[in-house]
Amino acid sequence: MTRPRRHARRPPARKVSTTRPRRVVAARAHGKVNLDLRVLGSRPDGYHELRTVFQSIALHDMVTAQEKPGPFVLKCRTPGVPLDDRNLVWRAAAALWRALGRAGDPADTLVTIEKAIPMQAGLGGGSADAAAALQVLGRLWGGAALSLLREVAAGVGSDAPFFLSGGTALGLGRGEEVYPLVDLPRHWIVLVRPPFGVSTVEAYSWYDEDRAAGVREPRIDVQILPVPWPSRAAQMINDLEPPVIRRHPEIGTIKAALREAGASAAAMSGSGSVVFGLFRTRPAAARALRPLAKLGESVVLSHTLSRAEHETRARPILRRV
Ligand code: C5P
């Protein structure tokens, strides 16, 4: 005989959390290429006066900020990324904290960076991460006006303000004065990263060295993009390219190979070392990947983003976990 069960089985009681859900804010940090970069002169502050045309690209890192009690922490799994105040994200966080009138060092926050943009490449990865960090931290820390974020960004890195708006834009001054241009019609981009990087400081010092030594620059090779687009500012000339090619001739080889592979135009981006080629269609760009593969440590297919596309894709997203 079976004994009667004294208690009917009840489903286990659901745990009721008494803690408030943690807020997590994430944003894409899109890279850029420079469709033109002219050095207009030296400045008393040691920087160079520029006229450049920035162009957002789909390739992006991811920056996430979340509430975490204790001192400010920066995490990134990619080797070689500094996780202290050498990282522009760290500096952006500290500068925003101060600009919001908070005392001491940033706290109670964890920021995570997931890298896809190669480093020392001229694609603005560090500054893009810093700009995205400002957006997500502004949201997490109770809101910050875009004008304040722009001001803070300009103090963190010369091209950081551009990443707050994106698209196709003119950069003046150190590059921090940003004016929207009519967006370049969508192009597909092949980005070739040679097996070495170039630091920004290095590229500008090579430029100065060559000027001081009276080195004659090669004939300027204007490349006008064959698309209906009113801007004449983007002629695919980069004044930093000749001094960098003089030290790294591989960059010239990659540029020639991109043109050979059918690119409408090709140039080094920013201070290098990435060389990019512009293509009108995805299949045309995809066909160029294989012949370029042997010249680069990485060869990536991407495309340009308009300002509106950038705004939608880079918008911070809030979750509660
Ligand atoms: O502003 P950011 O920290 O990105 O600049 C890094 C370095 O690049 C500067 O310290 C400077 O050597 C060089 N630079 C320059 N002129 C600019 C932008 C950057 O000389 N307009």
Side-chain angles (χ1 to χ4, degrees), residues 274-288:
V274 155
V275 187
F276 67 98
L278 295 177
F279 296 80
R280 273 328 305 276
T281 67
R282 190 181 208 280
R287 274 196 298 276

mmCIF file with all atom_site columns, all heavy atoms in Angstrom, residues 274-288:
data_model
loop_
_atom_site.group_PDB
_atom_site.id
_atom_site.type_symbol
_atom_site.label_atom_id
_atom_site.label_alt_id
_atom_site.label_comp_id
_atom_site.label_asym_id
_atom_site.label_entity_id
_atom_site.label_seq_id
_atom_site.pdbx_PDB_ins_code
_atom_site.Cartn_x
_atom_site.Cartn_y
_atom_site.Cartn_z
_atom_site.occupancy
_atom_site.B_iso_or_equiv
_atom_site.pdbx_formal_charge
_atom_site.auth_seq_id
_atom_site.auth_comp_id
_atom_site.auth_asym_id
_atom_site.auth_atom_id
_atom_site.pdbx_PDB_model_num
ATOM 1   N N   . VAL A 1 274 ? 46.578 51.887 -43.639 1.00 0.00 ? 274 VAL A N   1
ATOM 2   C CA  . VAL A 1 274 ? 45.599 51.281 -44.553 1.00 0.00 ? 274 VAL A CA  1
ATOM 3   C C   . VAL A 1 274 ? 45.521 52.054 -45.866 1.00 0.00 ? 274 VAL A C   1
ATOM 4   O O   . VAL A 1 274 ? 45.566 53.289 -45.886 1.00 0.00 ? 274 VAL A O   1
ATOM 5   C CB  . VAL A 1 274 ? 44.199 51.197 -43.888 1.00 0.00 ? 274 VAL A CB  1
ATOM 6   C CG1 . VAL A 1 274 ? 43.084 51.170 -44.931 1.00 0.00 ? 274 VAL A CG1 1
ATOM 7   C CG2 . VAL A 1 274 ? 44.107 49.947 -43.019 1.00 0.00 ? 274 VAL A CG2 1
ATOM 8   N N   . VAL A 1 275 ? 45.431 51.288 -46.961 1.00 0.00 ? 275 VAL A N   1
ATOM 9   C CA  . VAL A 1 275 ? 45.164 51.859 -48.280 1.00 0.00 ? 275 VAL A CA  1
ATOM 10  C C   . VAL A 1 275 ? 43.774 51.375 -48.656 1.00 0.00 ? 275 VAL A C   1
ATOM 11  O O   . VAL A 1 275 ? 43.439 50.206 -48.444 1.00 0.00 ? 275 VAL A O   1
ATOM 12  C CB  . VAL A 1 275 ? 46.193 51.369 -49.322 1.00 0.00 ? 275 VAL A CB  1
ATOM 13  C CG1 . VAL A 1 275 ? 46.013 52.106 -50.644 1.00 0.00 ? 275 VAL A CG1 1
ATOM 14  C CG2 . VAL A 1 275 ? 47.611 51.550 -48.805 1.00 0.00 ? 275 VAL A CG2 1
ATOM 15  N N   . PHE A 1 276 ? 42.934 52.278 -49.189 1.00 0.00 ? 276 PHE A N   1
ATOM 16  C CA  . PHE A 1 276 ? 41.577 51.870 -49.550 1.00 0.00 ? 276 PHE A CA  1
ATOM 17  C C   . PHE A 1 276 ? 41.316 52.146 -51.019 1.00 0.00 ? 276 PHE A C   1
ATOM 18  O O   . PHE A 1 276 ? 41.879 53.061 -51.611 1.00 0.00 ? 276 PHE A O   1
ATOM 19  C CB  . PHE A 1 276 ? 40.536 52.574 -48.670 1.00 0.00 ? 276 PHE A CB  1
ATOM 20  C CG  . PHE A 1 276 ? 40.446 54.064 -48.892 1.00 0.00 ? 276 PHE A CG  1
ATOM 21  C CD1 . PHE A 1 276 ? 39.463 54.606 -49.710 1.00 0.00 ? 276 PHE A CD1 1
ATOM 22  C CD2 . PHE A 1 276 ? 41.344 54.930 -48.285 1.00 0.00 ? 276 PHE A CD2 1
ATOM 23  C CE1 . PHE A 1 276 ? 39.378 55.970 -49.922 1.00 0.00 ? 276 PHE A CE1 1
ATOM 24  C CE2 . PHE A 1 276 ? 41.269 56.304 -48.492 1.00 0.00 ? 276 PHE A CE2 1
ATOM 25  C CZ  . PHE A 1 276 ? 40.280 56.821 -49.317 1.00 0.00 ? 276 PHE A CZ  1
ATOM 26  N N   . GLY A 1 277 ? 40.444 51.308 -51.583 1.00 0.00 ? 277 GLY A N   1
ATOM 27  C CA  . GLY A 1 277 ? 40.017 51.493 -52.959 1.00 0.00 ? 277 GLY A CA  1
ATOM 28  C C   . GLY A 1 277 ? 38.511 51.650 -52.970 1.00 0.00 ? 277 GLY A C   1
ATOM 29  O O   . GLY A 1 277 ? 37.806 50.978 -52.205 1.00 0.00 ? 277 GLY A O   1
ATOM 30  N N   . LEU A 1 278 ? 37.997 52.564 -53.803 1.00 0.00 ? 278 LEU A N   1
ATOM 31  C CA  . LEU A 1 278 ? 36.550 52.792 -53.916 1.00 0.00 ? 278 LEU A CA  1
ATOM 32  C C   . LEU A 1 278 ? 36.014 52.118 -55.169 1.00 0.00 ? 278 LEU A C   1
ATOM 33  O O   . LEU A 1 278 ? 36.615 52.234 -56.247 1.00 0.00 ? 278 LEU A O   1
ATOM 34  C CB  . LEU A 1 278 ? 36.262 54.291 -54.005 1.00 0.00 ? 278 LEU A CB  1
ATOM 35  C CG  . LEU A 1 278 ? 36.606 55.136 -52.770 1.00 0.00 ? 278 LEU A CG  1
ATOM 36  C CD1 . LEU A 1 278 ? 36.340 56.609 -53.053 1.00 0.00 ? 278 LEU A CD1 1
ATOM 37  C CD2 . LEU A 1 278 ? 35.796 54.682 -51.562 1.00 0.00 ? 278 LEU A CD2 1
ATOM 38  N N   . PHE A 1 279 ? 34.896 51.424 -55.013 1.00 0.00 ? 279 PHE A N   1
ATOM 39  C CA  . PHE A 1 279 ? 34.259 50.699 -56.121 1.00 0.00 ? 279 PHE A CA  1
ATOM 40  C C   . PHE A 1 279 ? 32.792 51.073 -56.154 1.00 0.00 ? 279 PHE A C   1
ATOM 41  O O   . PHE A 1 279 ? 32.177 51.274 -55.105 1.00 0.00 ? 279 PHE A O   1
ATOM 42  C CB  . PHE A 1 279 ? 34.400 49.180 -55.921 1.00 0.00 ? 279 PHE A CB  1
ATOM 43  C CG  . PHE A 1 279 ? 35.822 48.687 -55.949 1.00 0.00 ? 279 PHE A CG  1
ATOM 44  C CD1 . PHE A 1 279 ? 36.630 48.809 -54.824 1.00 0.00 ? 279 PHE A CD1 1
ATOM 45  C CD2 . PHE A 1 279 ? 36.362 48.099 -57.091 1.00 0.00 ? 279 PHE A CD2 1
ATOM 46  C CE1 . PHE A 1 279 ? 37.953 48.358 -54.838 1.00 0.00 ? 279 PHE A CE1 1
ATOM 47  C CE2 . PHE A 1 279 ? 37.676 47.645 -57.112 1.00 0.00 ? 279 PHE A CE2 1
ATOM 48  C CZ  . PHE A 1 279 ? 38.471 47.773 -55.984 1.00 0.00 ? 279 PHE A CZ  1
ATOM 49  N N   . ARG A 1 280 ? 32.171 51.101 -57.349 1.00 0.00 ? 280 ARG A N   1
ATOM 50  C CA  . ARG A 1 280 ? 30.752 51.460 -57.439 1.00 0.00 ? 280 ARG A CA  1
ATOM 51  C C   . ARG A 1 280 ? 29.840 50.311 -57.022 1.00 0.00 ? 280 ARG A C   1
ATOM 52  O O   . ARG A 1 280 ? 28.750 50.529 -56.552 1.00 0.00 ? 280 ARG A O   1
ATOM 53  C CB  . ARG A 1 280 ? 30.393 51.908 -58.862 1.00 0.00 ? 280 ARG A CB  1
ATOM 54  C CG  . ARG A 1 280 ? 30.592 53.371 -59.213 1.00 0.00 ? 280 ARG A CG  1
ATOM 55  C CD  . ARG A 1 280 ? 30.389 54.355 -58.082 1.00 0.00 ? 280 ARG A CD  1
ATOM 56  N NE  . ARG A 1 280 ? 29.117 54.335 -57.351 1.00 0.00 ? 280 ARG A NE  1
ATOM 57  C CZ  . ARG A 1 280 ? 28.012 54.931 -57.707 1.00 0.00 ? 280 ARG A CZ  1
ATOM 58  N NH1 . ARG A 1 280 ? 27.968 55.617 -58.826 1.00 0.00 ? 280 ARG A NH1 1
ATOM 59  N NH2 . ARG A 1 280 ? 26.928 54.888 -56.969 1.00 0.00 ? 280 ARG A NH2 1
ATOM 60  N N   . THR A 1 281 ? 30.255 49.067 -57.247 1.00 0.00 ? 281 THR A N   1
ATOM 61  C CA  . THR A 1 281 ? 29.359 47.948 -56.919 1.00 0.00 ? 281 THR A CA  1
ATOM 62  C C   . THR A 1 281 ? 30.050 46.967 -55.979 1.00 0.00 ? 281 THR A C   1
ATOM 63  O O   . THR A 1 281 ? 31.286 46.880 -55.944 1.00 0.00 ? 281 THR A O   1
ATOM 64  C CB  . THR A 1 281 ? 28.935 47.163 -58.188 1.00 0.00 ? 281 THR A CB  1
ATOM 65  O OG1 . THR A 1 281 ? 30.098 46.509 -58.715 1.00 0.00 ? 281 THR A OG1 1
ATOM 66  C CG2 . THR A 1 281 ? 28.323 48.074 -59.249 1.00 0.00 ? 281 THR A CG2 1
ATOM 67  N N   . ARG A 1 282 ? 29.220 46.211 -55.253 1.00 0.00 ? 282 ARG A N   1
ATOM 68  C CA  . ARG A 1 282 ? 29.758 45.211 -54.327 1.00 0.00 ? 282 ARG A CA  1
ATOM 69  C C   . ARG A 1 282 ? 30.512 44.112 -55.072 1.00 0.00 ? 282 ARG A C   1
ATOM 70  O O   . ARG A 1 282 ? 31.634 43.767 -54.667 1.00 0.00 ? 282 ARG A O   1
ATOM 71  C CB  . ARG A 1 282 ? 28.610 44.628 -53.493 1.00 0.00 ? 282 ARG A CB  1
ATOM 72  C CG  . ARG A 1 282 ? 29.064 43.780 -52.357 1.00 0.00 ? 282 ARG A CG  1
ATOM 73  C CD  . ARG A 1 282 ? 27.865 43.220 -51.603 1.00 0.00 ? 282 ARG A CD  1
ATOM 74  N NE  . ARG A 1 282 ? 28.176 42.973 -50.214 1.00 0.00 ? 282 ARG A NE  1
ATOM 75  C CZ  . ARG A 1 282 ? 28.822 41.900 -49.775 1.00 0.00 ? 282 ARG A CZ  1
ATOM 76  N NH1 . ARG A 1 282 ? 29.218 40.971 -50.625 1.00 0.00 ? 282 ARG A NH1 1
ATOM 77  N NH2 . ARG A 1 282 ? 29.082 41.757 -48.497 1.00 0.00 ? 282 ARG A NH2 1
ATOM 78  N N   . PRO A 1 283 ? 29.932 43.565 -56.184 1.00 0.00 ? 283 PRO A N   1
ATOM 79  C CA  . PRO A 1 283 ? 30.660 42.493 -56.880 1.00 0.00 ? 283 PRO A CA  1
ATOM 80  C C   . PRO A 1 283 ? 32.034 42.959 -57.376 1.00 0.00 ? 283 PRO A C   1
ATOM 81  O O   . PRO A 1 283 ? 33.010 42.216 -57.300 1.00 0.00 ? 283 PRO A O   1
ATOM 82  C CB  . PRO A 1 283 ? 29.741 42.124 -58.053 1.00 0.00 ? 283 PRO A CB  1
ATOM 83  C CG  . PRO A 1 283 ? 28.382 42.604 -57.664 1.00 0.00 ? 283 PRO A CG  1
ATOM 84  C CD  . PRO A 1 283 ? 28.579 43.767 -56.749 1.00 0.00 ? 283 PRO A CD  1
ATOM 85  N N   . ALA A 1 284 ? 32.108 44.192 -57.866 1.00 0.00 ? 284 ALA A N   1
ATOM 86  C CA  . ALA A 1 284 ? 33.402 44.701 -58.361 1.00 0.00 ? 284 ALA A CA  1
ATOM 87  C C   . ALA A 1 284 ? 34.412 44.749 -57.215 1.00 0.00 ? 284 ALA A C   1
ATOM 88  O O   . ALA A 1 284 ? 35.582 44.366 -57.371 1.00 0.00 ? 284 ALA A O   1
ATOM 89  C CB  . ALA A 1 284 ? 33.228 46.080 -58.984 1.00 0.00 ? 284 ALA A CB  1
ATOM 90  N N   . ALA A 1 285 ? 33.960 45.201 -56.034 1.00 0.00 ? 285 ALA A N   1
ATOM 91  C CA  . ALA A 1 285 ? 34.857 45.270 -54.870 1.00 0.00 ? 285 ALA A CA  1
ATOM 92  C C   . ALA A 1 285 ? 35.236 43.863 -54.416 1.00 0.00 ? 285 ALA A C   1
ATOM 93  O O   . ALA A 1 285 ? 36.403 43.592 -54.101 1.00 0.00 ? 285 ALA A O   1
ATOM 94  C CB  . ALA A 1 285 ? 34.187 46.040 -53.740 1.00 0.00 ? 285 ALA A CB  1
ATOM 95  N N   . ALA A 1 286 ? 34.257 42.957 -54.407 1.00 0.00 ? 286 ALA A N   1
ATOM 96  C CA  . ALA A 1 286 ? 34.510 41.586 -53.944 1.00 0.00 ? 286 ALA A CA  1
ATOM 97  C C   . ALA A 1 286 ? 35.534 40.885 -54.861 1.00 0.00 ? 286 ALA A C   1
ATOM 98  O O   . ALA A 1 286 ? 36.368 40.126 -54.373 1.00 0.00 ? 286 ALA A O   1
ATOM 99  C CB  . ALA A 1 286 ? 33.204 40.799 -53.901 1.00 0.00 ? 286 ALA A CB  1
ATOM 100 N N   . ARG A 1 287 ? 35.472 41.182 -56.157 1.00 0.00 ? 287 ARG A N   1
ATOM 101 C CA  . ARG A 1 287 ? 36.434 40.575 -57.100 1.00 0.00 ? 287 ARG A CA  1
ATOM 102 C C   . ARG A 1 287 ? 37.867 41.013 -56.814 1.00 0.00 ? 287 ARG A C   1
ATOM 103 O O   . ARG A 1 287 ? 38.813 40.316 -57.153 1.00 0.00 ? 287 ARG A O   1
ATOM 104 C CB  . ARG A 1 287 ? 36.063 40.963 -58.546 1.00 0.00 ? 287 ARG A CB  1
ATOM 105 C CG  . ARG A 1 287 ? 35.028 40.052 -59.196 1.00 0.00 ? 287 ARG A CG  1
ATOM 106 C CD  . ARG A 1 287 ? 35.003 40.247 -60.704 1.00 0.00 ? 287 ARG A CD  1
ATOM 107 N NE  . ARG A 1 287 ? 34.635 41.598 -61.109 1.00 0.00 ? 287 ARG A NE  1
ATOM 108 C CZ  . ARG A 1 287 ? 33.369 42.037 -61.221 1.00 0.00 ? 287 ARG A CZ  1
ATOM 109 N NH1 . ARG A 1 287 ? 32.365 41.210 -60.978 1.00 0.00 ? 287 ARG A NH1 1
ATOM 110 N NH2 . ARG A 1 287 ? 33.118 43.275 -61.589 1.00 0.00 ? 287 ARG A NH2 1
ATOM 111 N N   . ALA A 1 288 ? 38.007 42.200 -56.199 1.00 0.00 ? 288 ALA A N   1
ATOM 112 C CA  . ALA A 1 288 ? 39.361 42.729 -55.938 1.00 0.00 ? 288 ALA A CA  1
ATOM 113 C C   . ALA A 1 288 ? 39.994 42.098 -54.700 1.00 0.00 ? 288 ALA A C   1
ATOM 114 O O   . ALA A 1 288 ? 41.205 42.228 -54.495 1.00 0.00 ? 288 ALA A O   1
ATOM 115 C CB  . ALA A 1 288 ? 39.287 44.242 -55.763 1.00 0.00 ? 288 ALA A CB  1
#
